[in-house]
């Protein structure tokens, strides 16, 4: 296949950029803005993706390969230009080409708005998986929503979070291709006619799902898949017939729904449930995707019996789980199947990934709302539930997808899936023991584990060029980028002090760059030799940013009490957004900012403690922070974090972890070695026991004077001036403490002390950091996708076929 990186020269790229500037944008070089150059470069790069993109599609259909359809409400792709350039091997050439025009490459890259079409981990995972599937030559389509506004932009106003809309589409998006021929009419509401098996649904309103395609190019440009995002369009600009009948309001309603449905991404807000528009979004993108998948399958003139051999559908959490009912509907209505056959076939096509066990985050819809929006599907859900009962006569009576007037989407998704997976070993075990206990007993082979992974192209090679350069030089070539387990070969170098100095120098240069950036952003320039301690993730009580804040307060207090002591300088860096409706999370944001304000202006600190909380944490900020981190905070209450993926990115880039036995931390610790990981806190069994205790918080506070003092300082109005400001947080800590912040505090604090001591031995620390990098290869998302191919999608054969094709050999 094509090898784009071999065929291009800087001159070619320069020519292509100039052509696009002239003919696609209509600008003359002297008058071109950074934005113009960025679009011109994007189009020049895009030209080089189109060929492998077509070739991949041809190979898939000619070879009758099985393809995966990854259905996700979220794809947190971030900036695309740099990713594409890196995967095509064009980085040096693009830089040189722009330099030749007197244009700064980095400025052009940073001009691109982020595609923040996701909340956090789940959405970013989908983006990493798209990249890995393209790298592995796994034929795949991503299906999602083309939100006009992605996740809100965060700003701080006197320390309080303020949300504003982010408009990533305000200028031309060079990565998308509109596909007017791929459009589906999606109905909502109305009524169902007939009581036989083939019913006719008369929706009250409908919206057109219009496709926009983005190519996703794999490493070295050998394979490209499609990310298809749906946008809402009115069926007619105005329903003239209805208007003429005098139904003025109804005629306009469909149009207004069309304009609303893909307007905005819902922030992950476990407290706010039952939003009608959210259910409409879920059905809208799922129905369009299922119809698209089935239309494409039907165009291949194979019998419907072949469907499970050609099509796998992966549901990213329950958000697309209405796909099950829609698939059954299409199999009945358009493919003439009987209900039972359709329901049985659906199980052979569908799979479901679970990302949470938190009871309040498990998706449910009231039967009334469900029936109002999707009357035909509500009937189907009842029949699917009944079919599952008939197929499993030993099913306990209480095991049903519909309970007390609520539709339980997790149960429904489980019943309709051939495989259900958790995202880390611990999480999968807990799934079997808790939420899916009964279903697991009924279907003991259905639940499998696929531990999450991250793409090393973005999160190591591209984000951390200094370290990547050292790795390449040490290992002799770049093969490690797509065979990440080869990082193991760095292990012997961890005992070579000259090499270790270079490893440390790479980290230090990243820290210098981050210090300068923090200086520009916040006016704080930390000493690059301080310990950079990083907690970056959504703000949530279970993730326990409060634990970190309490330790920060305690540290500040102690330095003030004993300013003469030899304190290890630390920079506490926080990043993350709170859901707009999550009051407690917003108070935590406010507290971090108030603590930062007090600590950073305290002359007694003398650089020994700095708190930095840059606003609007997103993918691009992660790319700056992760390579510069010394310490990674993964401190959730054991049993609450399904996996985590930031934990993997940080460790891979040589940050040591302070963490609980939660999510993928368990496996990270196994891989890097317990001696290179700072473990603290209770495990899941201990958490459960402790929570059953009365007064666990009061006891922990009584046993730790440092904790009592830190809470007292907050309660006294030390941060922010008034005593009432944090009354609620103080009450939570002292009275309920559901996430056991108090109970884990003493161990956390003493482990932080161990870390200070360990950091003083720079050689020892660097060795541990290097061993983290060397042993994290298993967490490549390439490994995760291989696991999905073999454990979930039954795609090993086509993997081999595709591998042969990628290597340029004829398919056998
Ligand atoms: C639900 C209903 C209404 C509005 C929003 C939502 C919603 C949106 C996003 C609910 C949940 C999410 C996102 C969840 C998420 O990111 N989970 C994380 O998934 C990661 C990838 O598997 C894991 O590593 C994390 O542990 C998990 O928290």
């Amino acid at each position: 296949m094509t090898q784009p990186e071999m065929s291009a020269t800087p001159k070619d790229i320069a020519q292509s950029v100039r052509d696009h500037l002239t003919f696609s944008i209509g600008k003359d070089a002297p008058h071109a803005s950074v934005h113009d150059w960025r679009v011109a470069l994007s189009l020049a790069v895009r030209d080089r993706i189109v060929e492998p993109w077509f070739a991949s599609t041809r190979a898939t259909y000619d070879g009758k390969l099985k393809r995966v359809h990854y259905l996700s409400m979220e794809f947190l792709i971030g900036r695309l230009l740099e990713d594409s350039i890196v995967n095509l091997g064009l980085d040096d050439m693009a830089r040189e080409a722009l330099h030749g025009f007197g244009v700064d490459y980095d400025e052009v890259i940073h001009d691109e708005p982020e595609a923040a079409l996701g909340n956090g981990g789940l959405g970013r995972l989908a983006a990493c998986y798209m990249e890995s599937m393209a790298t592995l030559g796994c034929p795949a389509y991503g299906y999602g929503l083309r939100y006009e506004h992605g996740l809100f932009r965060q700003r701080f106003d006197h320390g309080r979070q303020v949300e504003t809309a982010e408009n990533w589409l305000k200028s031309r998006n060079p990565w998308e291709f509109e596909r007017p021929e791929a459009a589906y009419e999606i109905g909502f509401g109305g009524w169902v006619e007939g009581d036989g098996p083939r019913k006719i649904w008369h929706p009250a309103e409908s919206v057109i799902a219009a496709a926009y395609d983005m190519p996703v190019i794999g490493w070295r440009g050998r394979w490209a898949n499609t990310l298809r995002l749906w946008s809402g369009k009115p069926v007619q600009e105005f329903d003239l017939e209805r208007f003429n009948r005098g139904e003025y309001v109804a005629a306009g309603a469909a149009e207004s729904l069309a304009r609303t449905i893909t307007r905005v991404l819902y922030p992950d807000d476990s407290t706010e449930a039952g939003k009608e528009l959210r259910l409409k979004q879920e059905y809208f993108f799922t129905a369009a995707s299922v119809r698209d998948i089935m239309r494409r399958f039907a165009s291949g003139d194979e019998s419907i019996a072949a469907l499970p051999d050609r099509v796998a559908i992966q549901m990213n959490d329950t958000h697309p789980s209405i796909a099950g009912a829609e698939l059954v509907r299409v199999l009945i209505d358009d493919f003439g199947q009987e209900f039972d056959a359709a329901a049985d076939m659906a199980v052979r096509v569908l799979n479901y990934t679970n990302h949470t066990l938190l009871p309040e985050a498990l998706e449910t819809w009231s039967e009334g709302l469900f029936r109002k929006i999707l009357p035909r599907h509500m009937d189907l859900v009842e029949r699917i539930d009944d079919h599952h009962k008939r197929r499993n006569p030993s099913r306990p009576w209480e095991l049903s997808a519909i309970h007390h007037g609520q539709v339980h989407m997790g149960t429904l998704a489980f019943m309709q899936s051939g495989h259900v997976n958790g995202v880390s070993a611990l999480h999968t075990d807990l799934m079997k023991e808790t939420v899916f206990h009964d279903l697991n007993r009924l279907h003991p082979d259905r639940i499998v584990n696929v531990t999450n992974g991250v793409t090393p192209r973005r999160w190591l090679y591209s984000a951390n060029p200094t370290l990547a350069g050292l790795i390449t030089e040490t290992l002799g070539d770049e093969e490690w980028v797509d065979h990440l387990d080869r990082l193991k070969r760095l292990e012997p170098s961890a005992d070579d002090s000259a090499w270790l100095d270079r490893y440390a120098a790479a980290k230090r240069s990243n820290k210098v760059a981050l210090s300068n950036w923090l200086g520009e952003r916040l006016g704080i320039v930390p000493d690059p030799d301080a310990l950079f301690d990083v907690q970056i993730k959504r703000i949530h009580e279970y993730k326990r940013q409060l634990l970190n804040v309490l330790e920060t307060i305690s540290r500040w207090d102690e330095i003030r009490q004993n300013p003469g002591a030899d304190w290890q300088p630390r920079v506490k860096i926080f990043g993350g957004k709170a859901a707009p409706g999550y009051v407690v999370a917003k108070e935590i944001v406010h507290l971090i900012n108030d603590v930062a304000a007090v600590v950073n202006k305290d002359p007694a600190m003398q650089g020994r403690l700095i708190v930095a909380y840059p606003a609007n944490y997103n993918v691009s900020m992660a790319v700056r922070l992760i390579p510069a981190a010394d310490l990674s905070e993964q401190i959730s209450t054991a049993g609450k974090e399904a996996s985590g993926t930031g934990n993997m990115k940080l460790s891979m880039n040589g940050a040591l972890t302070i963490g609980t036995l939660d999510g993928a931390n368990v496996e990270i610790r196994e891989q890097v070695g317990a001696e290179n990981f700072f473990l603290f806190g209770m495990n899941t069994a201990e958490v459960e026991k402790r929570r059953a205790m009365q007064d666990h918080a009061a006891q922990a506070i009584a046993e730790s004077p440092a904790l009592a003092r830190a809470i007292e300082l907050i309660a006294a109005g030390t941060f922010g001036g008034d005593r009432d400001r944090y009354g609620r947080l103080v009450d939570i800590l002292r009275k309920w403490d559901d996430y056991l912040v108090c109970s884990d505090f003493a161990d956390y604090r003493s482990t932080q002390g161990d870390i200070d001591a360990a950091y003083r031995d720079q050689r020892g620390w660097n060795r541990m950091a290097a061993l983290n990098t060397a042993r994290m290869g298993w967490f490549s998302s390439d490994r995760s996708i291989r696991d999905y191919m073999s454990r979930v999608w039954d795609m090993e054969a086509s993997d081999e076929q595709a591998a042969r094709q990628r290597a340029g050999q004829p398919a056998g």
Side-chain angles (χ1 to χ4, degrees):
M1 291 198 71
T2 37
Q3 297 272 325
E5 77 271 35
M6 318 254 275
S7 58
T9 67
K11 252 182 86 184
D12 298 335
I13 301 291
Q15 185 60 49
S16 172
V17 170
R18 184 185 285 282
D19 285 350
H20 277 296
L21 193 67
T22 311
F23 302 113
S24 309
I25 298 165
K27 278 281 181 84
D28 192 13
H31 300 115
S33 64
V34 173
H35 170 261
D36 296 328
W37 285 110
R38 198 250 300 164
V39 176
L41 178 61
S42 302
L43 294 172
V45 171
R46 197 183 79 172
D47 287 349
R48 279 153 214 279
I49 296 179
V50 173
E51 189 53 44
W53 195 19
F54 292 170
S56 306
T57 308
R58 247 180 277 127
T60 302
Y61 290 95
D62 294 353
K64 290 194 178 346
L65 300 181
K66 188 167 183 178
R67 51 261 175 199
V68 187
H69 305 84
Y70 199 87
L71 269 57
S72 180
M73 284 289 274
E74 311 194 355
F75 286 91
L76 218 186
I77 40 197
R79 289 184 180 131
L80 289 171
L81 176 55
E82 191 174 22
D83 256 23
S84 304
I85 288 178
V86 164
N87 275 7
L88 289 169
L90 297 173
D91 6 2
D92 295 341
M93 280 173 253
R95 192 178 285 277
E96 204 179 315
L98 287 190
H99 186 74
F101 295 117
V103 175
D104 180 34
Y105 176 76
D106 296 308
E107 204 186 330
V108 167
I109 293 290
H110 289 113
D111 177 67
E112 184 176 351
E114 274 224 14
L117 309 184
N119 273 287
L122 168 150
R124 182 55 230 178
L125 187 76
C128 283
Y129 283 178
M130 287 304 293
E131 200 274 351
S132 272
M133 290 190 282
T135 291
L136 293 173
C138 169
Y141 291 84
Y143 278 107
L145 285 162
R146 183 178 176 271
Y147 302 107
E148 210 175 297
H149 302 287
L151 190 63
F152 64 86
R153 170 183 285 274
Q154 175 196 54
R155 128 181 110 69
F156 299 136
D157 182 2
H158 299 288
R160 285 195 177 84
Q161 172 175 298
V162 177
E163 304 92 23
T164 55
E166 185 81 89
N167 192 355
W168 73 294
L169 288 171
K170 66 172 172 273
S171 68
R172 169 178 183 178
N173 174 8
W175 300 107
E176 66 184 10
F177 294 86
E178 195 176 348
R179 301 292 190 208
E181 74 282 8
Y184 301 90
E185 188 171 335
I186 309 298
F188 302 94
W191 57 287
V192 176
E193 182 188 328
D195 26 46
R198 267 172 208 84
K199 296 190 173 169
I200 301 174
W201 175 23
H202 301 279
E205 54 184 351
S206 47
V207 177
I208 299 292
Y212 287 76
D213 285 352
M214 313 215 306
V216 179
I217 186 86
W219 176 239
R220 294 191 200 289
R222 288 175 182 152
W223 188 274
N225 285 321
T226 303
L227 174 58
R228 175 160 281 190
L229 301 180
W230 301 105
S231 179
K233 295 265 154 74
V235 176
Q236 293 169 282
E237 280 306 305
F238 210 76
D239 190 338
L240 201 59
E241 199 188 317
R242 289 188 122 182
F243 188 79
N244 291 339
R245 288 200 305 260
E247 299 171 31
Y248 306 114
V249 177
E255 184 180 349
S256 98
L257 177 62
R259 303 215 184 283
T260 318
I261 193 145
T262 49
R263 171 106 12 114
V264 61
L265 164 77
Y266 269 91
D268 170 14
D269 209 334
S270 5
T271 52
E272 233 183 331
K275 286 272 173 282
E276 184 170 324
L277 183 62
R278 167 86 184 182
L279 181 60
K280 286 180 171 171
Q281 283 186 337
E282 291 183 356
Y283 177 65
F284 174 77
F285 105 92
T286 304
S289 306
V290 167
R291 287 177 215 180
D292 202 46
I293 293 164
M294 295 307 286
R295 178 194 53 81
R296 208 179 283 113
F297 174 79
S299 73
D301 58 54
E302 284 190 281
S303 125
I304 191 68
L307 185 73
D309 300 324
R310 297 288 175 263
V311 170
I313 296 179
Q314 190 66 36
M315 300 185 286
N316 198 21
D317 215 296
T318 53
H319 316 149
S321 57
I322 191 68
E326 178 67 10
L327 180 59
V328 169
R329 188 197 66 73
V330 172
L331 287 170
I332 295 171
D333 290 355
D334 303 345
F335 290 82
Q337 291 210 327
E338 296 302 326
F339 177 85
D340 282 349
D344 288 335
M345 178 165 284
V347 179
R348 300 175 60 210
V349 171
L350 297 164
N351 306 285
Y352 153 52
T353 305
N354 172 281
H355 297 267
T356 188
L357 302 173
L358 299 184
E360 69 273 20
L362 294 172
E363 198 178 20
T364 60
W365 294 101
S366 86
E367 202 183 327
L369 178 67
F370 204 111
R371 196 179 297 282
K372 182 180 127 197
I373 309 288
L374 303 167
R376 174 90 199 271
H377 294 77
M378 189 61 230
D379 286 348
L380 285 166
V381 168
E382 286 171 332
R383 295 188 66 190
I384 288 162
D385 189 50
D386 172 66
H387 172 263
H388 180 262
K389 189 172 176 54
R390 280 187 285 115
R391 286 277 186 267
N392 301 279
S394 65
R395 184 177 111 169
W397 67 268
E398 71 276 13
L399 214 176
S400 163
I402 307 156
H403 249 298
H404 304 297
Q406 295 288 118
V407 186
H408 292 255
M409 304 307 274
T411 306
L412 179 65
F414 192 111
M415 289 174 178
Q416 290 205 273
S417 292
H419 292 287
V420 176
N421 76 284
V423 290
S424 72
L426 174 69
H427 169 66
T428 302
D429 288 343
L430 292 173
M431 274 169 73
K432 294 181 188 172
E433 286 168 24
T434 61
V435 275
F436 297 120
H437 177 265
D438 294 346
L439 279 164
N440 180 54
R441 285 188 48 185
L442 218 50
H443 307 281
D445 301 326
R446 200 167 279 196
I447 299 185
V448 297
N449 177 246
V450 181
T451 299
N452 285 168
V454 300
T455 168
R457 270 72 64 185
R458 183 182 284 236
W459 295 109
L460 188 51
Y461 184 83
S462 163
N464 196 345
T466 46
L467 178 55
L470 176 62
I471 296 170
T472 300
E473 195 190 310
T474 309
L475 300 183
D477 55 41
E478 284 190 346
E479 293 294 300
W480 61 273
V481 181
D482 46 342
H483 299 280
L484 204 64
D485 43 351
R486 295 204 184 160
L487 291 180
K488 274 248 153 36
R489 299 179 188 177
L490 295 172
E491 272 190 36
S493 306
D495 290 313
D496 168 351
S497 62
W499 187 88
L500 219 44
D501 287 345
R502 298 183 62 199
Y503 183 88
K507 175 65 75 183
R508 194 175 189 285
S509 75
N510 296 333
K511 291 169 73 178
V512 169
L514 180 61
S515 281
N516 293 333
W517 181 79
L518 288 171
E520 286 163 30
R521 265 292 190 101
L522 304 172
I524 314 170
V525 188
D527 178 356
D529 293 319
L531 191 165
F532 282 24
D533 171 344
V534 173
Q535 186 171 22
I536 41 177
K537 49 187 81 248
R538 286 297 287 262
I539 310 296
H540 204 295
E541 288 168 281
Y542 84 79
K543 294 178 187 281
R544 297 201 294 190
Q545 280 91 357
L546 259 186
L547 183 55
N548 192 352
V549 176
L550 286 169
E551 199 271 335
T552 306
I553 293 171
S554 172
R555 185 176 282 264
W556 167 72
D557 185 46
E558 283 184 80
I559 299 175
R560 282 199 314 166
Q561 307 295 333
N562 191 0
D566 186 17
W567 294 95
Q568 168 57 48
R570 262 214 208 214
V571 188
K572 292 260 190 182
I573 301 169
F574 292 86
K577 297 175 182 178
Y582 189 170
V583 175
V584 175
K586 289 182 120 175
E587 290 181 356
I588 295 170
V589 168
H590 196 184
L591 178 61
I592 300 171
N593 279 318
D594 275 346
V595 170
V598 170
V599 169
N600 295 344
K601 68 164 202 285
D602 185 338
M605 292 303 108
Q606 299 191 342
R608 291 176 296 186
L609 183 60
I610 290 176
V611 181
Y613 188 2
N616 202 39
Y617 175 67
N618 57 10
V619 176
S620 312
M621 197 190 292
V623 165
R624 286 182 198 281
L625 297 181
I626 288 169
D630 294 309
L631 185 65
S632 160
E633 299 267 354
Q634 308 300 335
I635 60 178
S636 51
T637 317
K640 299 291 179 192
E641 189 70 88
S643 163
T645 44
N647 47 2
M648 300 169 188
K649 295 164 195 168
L650 283 155
S651 162
M652 210 175 259
N653 281 280
L656 301 188
T657 305
I658 178 167
T660 47
L661 283 180
D662 200 15
N665 293 354
V666 177
E667 290 150 275
I668 292 176
R669 182 165 171 266
E670 274 166 20
Q671 292 284 332
V672 305
E675 67 286 6
N676 303 307
F677 185 107
F678 293 96
L679 179 69
F680 80 98
M682 290 175 283
N683 64 25
T684 44
E686 290 160 347
V687 161
E688 213 175 307
K689 240 180 98 187
R690 179 90 189 174
R691 204 178 271 118
M693 251 172 78
Q694 292 271 315
D695 287 348
H696 54 77
Q699 260 192 47
I701 295 169
E703 284 164 18
S704 166
L707 173 60
R709 169 101 180 123
I711 298 177
E712 187 46 46
L713 283 167
I714 301 175
T718 314
F719 309 103
D722 57 291
R723 286 166 168 277
D724 293 341
R725 182 172 290 182
Y726 296 111
R728 188 201 315 254
L729 289 184
V730 168
D731 264 4
I732 287 176
L733 286 170
R734 288 182 173 156
K735 296 185 185 157
W736 299 285
D737 196 21
D738 284 335
Y739 298 98
L740 301 171
V741 170
C742 296
S743 300
D744 267 341
F745 180 83
D747 195 11
Y748 178 66
R749 176 164 168 270
S750 92
T751 307
Q752 289 286 18
D754 299 344
I755 287 167
D756 288 326
Y759 193 76
R760 284 171 188 272
D761 169 14
Q762 275 291 298
R763 199 196 139 114
W765 183 278
N766 292 332
R767 183 172 178 281
M768 291 194 282
L771 287 175
N772 267 256
T773 301
R775 295 173 178 175
M776 281 297 289
W778 191 75
F779 294 94
S780 166
S781 44
D782 299 346
R783 189 270 313 148
S784 308
I785 290 299
R786 285 202 187 89
D787 285 351
Y788 275 102
M789 291 173 85
S790 65
R791 292 176 202 168
V792 180
W793 302 330
D794 191 19
M795 278 178 76
E796 275 161 317
S798 62
D799 184 26
E800 280 168 38
Q801 265 176 302
R804 271 198 298 277
Q805 277 158 355
R806 276 179 280 127
Q809 297 158 10

